Amino acid sequence: LLLLPSAAFAQNRWVVGSGGFSTLEAAYQAAAPGDVILIRVPNLRISSRMNGKGVRIIGDGVRPRIEPFLSFG
């Protein structure tokens, strides 16, 4: 039996849109590996490549269209 402290499973949820960050880049910079970024806006434009951090980016009630590219590493 392996017991891990609850912090091992902790993750933060960051919001882009209503009640949160205005850009995906800002939320990504605030996030740590294992965190979740919730997208609450239908269209996003990003200006930088995001990869290698190990965060999940998901739509929260919307199916986001992310332009021009998004790279997950």
Side-chain angles (χ1 to χ4, degrees), residues 7-12 14 28-36 52-56:
F9 299 105
Q11 65 179 209
N12 292 309
W14 306 96
Y28 185 79
Q29 290 301 318
D35 285 356
V36 175
K53 199 167 192 179
V55 300
R56 290 180 54 212

Side-chain angles (χ1 to χ4, degrees), residues 5 11 24 28 36 46 50-51 60:
Q11 65 179 209
L24 178 56
Y28 185 79
V36 175
I46 61 170
M50 292 175 262
N51 63 3
D60 184 28

Side-chain angles (χ1 to χ4, degrees), residues 5-56:
S6 61
F9 299 105
Q11 65 179 209
N12 292 309
R13 294 180 187 265
W14 306 96
V15 174
V16 177
S18 179
F21 291 97
S22 60
T23 66
L24 178 56
E25 289 92 340
Y28 185 79
Q29 290 301 318
D35 285 356
V36 175
I37 298 175
L38 301 173
I39 307 297
R40 290 187 174 161
V41 294
N43 293 300
L44 287 178
R45 290 196 182 270
I46 61 170
S47 59
S48 61
R49 183 177 297 267
M50 292 175 262
N51 63 3
K53 199 167 192 179
V55 300
R56 290 180 54 212

